[in-house]
């Protein structure tokens, strides 16, 4: 399945998701009791779109968070030359820092792996090694769902799941592109394993403010040739809803060694 995102391919509407009884009926996520959260972000923005509410909750509960920035996100603007791409990478990194600051993290802990955007699956062993060595007893790993629909997201989710299994760590999967290609009746989404984090008005407002830090993704892609942003508004709105949904991955237990 190829993931196509443009004005003609805006996926399942947010109105459809908001009206979904299935989504409203998803069980609540239990309170965080992690010693630390390892948040795997294939691209600089996934951590905030997928888990900006969870990040605020972790900060409030004094749970330390380490963001693993897997790629630098250089693939969002493929027409750029080398120097422009380096500027884009700097910009995307600082957007992520600013967004995390807006969620309460004055000095966010971000480890960058610099794997190539759109080619994470070719570097799976390096990613798996990085995650396995970073995971510690009592950590929760929060990563994209391994069937999210973007090859980098799927590769990150797959490696995270394997790392969690080998370390006996607990894993929650977040959803980004699933909201695009799936619909509330989609049987390929394991709804029974989903858990819902209900956001307060304040958390929701802060998350929305944080998403606005990613100007390279939400502004016109190239003002000279196109007004279309990488993430059009109907897609961005999915991440302003009053809840976040995570898939509770089975097979892992809290690390005891
Ligand atoms: Zn992504």
């Amino acid at each position: 399945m190829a993931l196509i995102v443009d004005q003609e391919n805006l996926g399942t509407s947010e109105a459809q998701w908001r009206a979904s009884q299935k989504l409203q009926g998803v069980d609540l996520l239990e309170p965080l009791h992690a010693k630390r959260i390892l948040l795997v972000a294939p691209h600089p923005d996934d951590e905030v779109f997928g888990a900006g509410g969870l990040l605020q909750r972790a900060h409030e509960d004094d749970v330390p968070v380490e963001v693993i920035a897997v790629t630098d996100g250089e693939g969002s603007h493929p027409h750029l030359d080398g120097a422009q791409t380096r500027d884009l990478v700097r910009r995307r990194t600082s957007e992520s820092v600013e967004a995390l600051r807006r969620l309460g993290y004055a000095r966010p802990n971000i480890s960058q792996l610099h794997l190539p955007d759109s080619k994470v699956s070719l570097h799976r062993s390096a990613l798996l090694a990085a995650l396995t060595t970073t995971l510690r007893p009592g950590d929760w790993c929060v990563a994209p769902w391994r069937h999210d629909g973007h090859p980098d997201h799927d590769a990150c989710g797959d490696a995270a799941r394997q790392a969690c299994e080998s370390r006996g760590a607990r894993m929650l999967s977040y959803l980004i592109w699933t909201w695009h290609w799936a619909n509330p009746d989609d049987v390929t989404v394991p709804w029974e394993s989903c858990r819902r984090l209900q956001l307060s008005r304040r958390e929701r407002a802060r998350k929305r403010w944080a998403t606005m830090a990613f100007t390279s993704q939400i502004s016109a892609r190239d003002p000279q040739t196109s007004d279309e942003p990488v993430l059009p508004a109907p897609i961005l709105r999915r991440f302003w809803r009053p809840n976040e949904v995570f898939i509770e991955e089975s097979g892992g237990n809290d690390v005891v060694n």
Side-chain angles (χ1 to χ4, degrees), residues 182-194:
N183 65 64
D185 297 318
D186 201 314
V187 294
T188 58
V189 178
W191 297 110
E192 68 288 350
S193 301
C194 286

Side-chain angles (χ1 to χ4, degrees), residues 42-43 45-46 150 153 176-177:
H43 312 104
D45 63 14
D46 290 315
H150 182 295
H153 288 218
I176 300 286
W177 294 112

Side-chain angles (χ1 to χ4, degrees), residues 86-212:
R86 285 190 289 281
D87 283 347
L88 174 67
V89 163
R90 276 192 289 274
R91 183 174 170 188
R92 294 202 67 179
T93 302
S94 57
E95 286 171 358
S96 180
V97 170
E98 171 60 17
L100 291 165
R101 195 186 65 76
R102 294 181 185 187
L103 296 178
Y105 294 83
R107 287 182 298 280
N109 179 6
I110 304 176
S111 299
Q112 293 179 292
L113 302 185
H114 303 297
L115 295 185
D117 194 345
S118 306
K119 297 189 177 70
V120 173
S121 62
L122 301 179
H123 300 266
R124 191 181 183 284
S125 52
L127 175 59
L128 181 60
L131 296 179
T132 306
T133 52
T134 308
L135 273 172
R136 295 200 302 248
D139 285 351
W140 285 18
C141 183
V142 181
W145 186 34
R146 66 190 188 285
H147 303 298
D148 194 41
H150 182 295
D152 289 346
H153 288 218
D154 299 359
C156 285
D158 192 51
R161 192 160 189 263
Q162 192 176 337
C164 286
E165 274 175 5
S166 72
R167 300 288 284 141
R170 182 166 178 182
M171 178 175 172
L172 294 176
S173 294
Y174 63 83
L175 309 171
I176 300 286
W177 294 112
T178 305
W179 305 121
H180 188 75
W181 59 260
N183 65 64
D185 297 318
D186 201 314
V187 294
T188 58
V189 178
W191 297 110
E192 68 288 350
S193 301
C194 286
R195 300 291 178 266
R196 177 167 48 94
L197 178 68
Q198 204 60 34
L199 307 184
S200 68
R201 285 170 68 94
R202 185 167 182 269
E203 287 169 336
R204 203 177 152 196
R206 285 185 88 166
K207 180 176 177 181
R208 181 171 172 156
W209 183 43
T211 65
M212 301 309 282

